[in-house]
C-alpha cells in the first residue's frame, strides 16, 4: 500500500480578524460558548399453448437473471470502490512523525481523520471555504460560518430535507482556524486548568473543525445549544437517522469515548461523502475503526 503524499495547501481567502473574537470552548470537538451568546434562532391447456409459453418463460427467466447479475455487479463495484477508498485513507498510510508529533499527510482529503493523536499540518487552512446557504443560530457571517465547498453543498441539501420534514435545524459552528483554536485553548487553560482542558478539549491543530468538513448543528428544543440532550429532540433524532443520506456521520458516537477521544456529541456531524457515510453508518463504526487497516482487512 502506497502512502499518499501531502497535498499542497492553497489559501486565497481572507477572514476578518474581528471574527476571531467570539467563543469559548466547552468540550469535546471544541464546541464553544459563543453559540450561547449568538443563538437566534398458470399451466398450459394444450401442446400449442405449452409451445407458445416456453419461450416467454425462458425470456422472463433470462431477464431476471440478467437483472440480478447487473445488480450484483453494481454492488460488487461499489464495494470495491469503498474498499479502495478505505485502503487509500487508512490511518496507518496517512500519518508521519514531524517535530515530535504525528501529522496527517492528506489534509485536503474528504476522508482525512483528525483526532487528539493525529494533527493537521501547522497552520493548515482549507483551500475552498464558503458559507453554506442554511439557517444559522446567529446573525452575520463569522469564521465559524464557513465549510469546504463540497461539504457546504451537502449541508444545504440536508437542511432542505429537514425543513421539508417540518424541523428547524440551525448551523452553529463550522470551520475553526488554528489561530482561533489557540485562543480558545489558552483561555480554557487559564480559567479551567490544564488537566480539565486536556480532558475535554482539542489541542490546537487537532480539531476536526479545522478541516472545514465538520459542523455543529442544533435545534429549538434546546435553544440551539450544543448539549447531549439534543440527541433526544426531534431534530436530533432526524439527524441521526438521515445524516448519512447526505454524506454526513455523527462523528463522536455514544460509548466510543476510548476510540474517538471524545464523549458523545449528537450535534457534531462530519462530511465524508454519501457512499462512505452510508457504509460507515451501516457498519456502526467510528471513523477511526472504519479506516483502520485491521478493520479493512476483515
Amino acid at each position: 500500500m502506497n502512502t499518499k503524499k501531502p497535498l499542497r495547501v492553497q489559501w486565497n481567502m481572507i477572514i476578518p480578524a474581528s471574527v476571531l473574537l467570539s467563543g469559548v470552548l466547552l468540550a469535546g470537538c471544541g464546541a464553544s460558548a459563543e453559540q450561547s451568546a449568538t443563538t437566534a434562532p398458470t399451466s398450459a391447456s394444450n401442446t400449442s399453448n405449452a409451445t407458445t409459453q416456453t419461450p416467454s418463460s425462458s425470456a422472463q427467466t433470462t431477464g431476471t437473471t440478467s437483472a440480478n447479475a447487473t445488480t450484483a455487479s453494481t454492488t460488487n463495484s461499489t464495494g470495491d470502490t469503498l474498499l479502495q477508498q478505505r485502503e487509500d485513507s487508512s490511518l496507518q498510510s496517512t500519518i508521519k512523525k514531524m517535530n515530535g508529533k504525528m501529522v496527517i499527510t492528506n489534509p485536503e482529503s474528504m476522508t482525512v481523520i483528525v483526532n487528539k493523536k493525529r494533527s493537521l499540518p501547522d497552520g493548515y487552512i482549507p483551500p475552498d471555504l464558503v458559507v453554506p446557504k442554511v439557517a444559522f443560530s446567529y446573525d452575520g457571517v463569522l469564521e465559524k460560518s464557513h465549510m469546504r465547498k463540497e461539504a457546504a453543498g451537502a449541508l444545504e441539501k440536508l437542511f432542505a430535507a429537514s425543513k421539508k420534514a417540518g424541523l428547524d435545524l440551525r448551523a452553529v459552528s463550522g470551520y475553526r482556524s488554528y489561530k482561533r483554536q489557540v485562543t480558545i485553548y489558552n483561555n480554557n487553560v487559564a480559567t479551567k486548568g490544564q488537566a480539565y482542558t486536556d480532558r475535554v478539549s482539542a489541542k490546537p491543530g487537532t480539531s476536526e473543525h479545522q478541516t472545514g468538513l465538520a459542523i455543529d448543528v442544533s435545534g429549538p428544543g434546546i435553544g440551539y445549544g450544543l448539549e447531549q440532550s439534543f440527541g433526544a429532540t426531534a431534530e436530533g433524532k432526524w439527524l441521526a437517522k438521515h445524516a448519512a443520506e447526505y454524506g454526513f456521520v455523527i462523528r463522536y458516537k455514544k460509548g466510543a469515548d476510548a476510540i474517538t477521544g471524545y464523549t458523545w456529541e449528537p450535534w457534531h456531524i462530519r462530511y465524508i461523502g454519501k457512499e462512505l457515510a452510508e457504509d460507515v453508518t451501516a457498519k456502526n463504526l467510528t471513523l477511526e475503526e472504519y479506516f483502520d487497516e485491521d478493520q479493512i482487512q476483515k
Side-chain angles (χ1 to χ4, degrees):
M1 186 181 302
N2 295 326
T3 300
K4 283 190 173 181
K5 296 181 179 180
L7 299 174
R8 176 176 295 177
V9 176
Q10 296 180 337
W11 174 246
N12 56 6
M13 179 175 186
I14 300 176
I15 299 175
S18 61
V19 304
L20 302 176
L21 299 179
S22 62
V24 178
L25 190 63
L26 286 180
C29 66
S32 59
E34 59 193 347
Q35 56 86 20
S36 297
T38 54
T39 294
T42 86
S43 294
S45 59
N46 54 48
T47 303
S48 176
N49 286 341
T51 302
T52 301
Q53 292 177 7
T54 300
S56 175
S57 176
S58 176
Q60 182 176 1
T61 301
T62 300
T64 300
T65 301
S66 177
N68 289 340
T70 299
T71 300
S73 177
T74 300
T75 299
N76 290 336
S77 177
T78 299
D80 290 343
T81 299
L82 292 174
L83 182 60
Q84 188 63 57
Q85 287 181 282
R86 292 175 71 183
E87 292 177 340
D88 290 345
S89 301
S90 72
L91 302 179
Q92 292 81 358
S93 67
T94 57
I95 196 81
K96 66 179 179 180
K97 191 170 185 177
M98 296 178 63
N99 300 321
K101 62 182 179 180
M102 302 307 291
V103 180
I104 60 171
T105 59
N106 61 336
E108 292 182 15
S109 172
M110 293 296 158
T111 53
V112 59
I113 305 301
V114 180
N115 56 36
K116 292 181 178 180
K117 298 179 180 179
R118 297 168 60 87
S119 301
L120 282 160
D122 288 346
Y124 172 73
I125 299 174
D128 54 355
L129 292 173
V130 298
V131 178
K133 298 176 182 179
V134 300
F136 287 83
S137 65
Y138 52 86
D139 296 324
V141 175
L142 305 176
E143 177 185 271
K144 65 179 182 176
S145 305
H146 297 75
M147 292 189 78
R148 290 192 59 182
K149 187 175 182 179
E150 184 176 331
L155 188 74
E156 291 170 1
K157 294 177 181 178
L158 183 150
F159 269 53
S162 70
K163 184 176 182 179
K164 188 174 182 180
L167 302 172
D168 184 24
L169 274 179
R170 298 290 179 95
V172 178
S173 185
Y175 172 67
R176 187 172 301 140
S177 67
Y178 180 86
K179 184 176 181 179
R180 179 68 187 141
Q181 292 172 67
V182 170
T183 299
I184 294 173
Y185 184 82
N186 289 342
N187 180 69
N188 276 283
V189 169
T191 61
K192 302 176 182 179
Q194 186 77 55
Y196 176 83
T197 299
D198 287 342
R199 187 169 69 252
V200 302
S201 306
K203 288 186 177 181
T206 66
S207 172
E208 190 174 63
H209 283 277
Q210 193 179 340
T211 67
L213 299 172
I215 191 164
D216 298 330
V217 301
S218 191
I222 57 170
Y224 305 105
L226 301 179
E227 305 170 4
Q228 290 186 339
S229 56
F230 170 68
T233 66
E235 282 78 10
K237 291 178 179 178
W238 185 92
L239 186 66
K241 184 176 181 180
H242 298 285
E245 298 170 21
Y246 303 91
F248 292 89
V249 295
I250 304 299
R251 180 66 174 93
Y252 305 120
K253 294 164 50 63
K254 183 183 291 187
D257 312 31
I259 300 172
T260 65
Y262 299 108
T263 56
W264 177 43
E265 294 188 0
W267 64 81
H268 181 110
I269 57 176
R270 159 66 194 277
Y271 180 77
I272 57 173
K274 185 176 184 295
E275 292 183 346
L276 282 170
E278 292 182 331
D279 197 39
V280 170
T281 302
K283 288 180 167 59
N284 194 29
L285 298 173
T286 62
L287 293 190
E288 280 81 3
E289 294 169 307
Y290 189 75
F291 287 104
D292 186 280
E293 288 182 351
D294 290 339
Q295 287 279 353
I296 296 172
Q297 294 167 5
K298 288 184 178 181

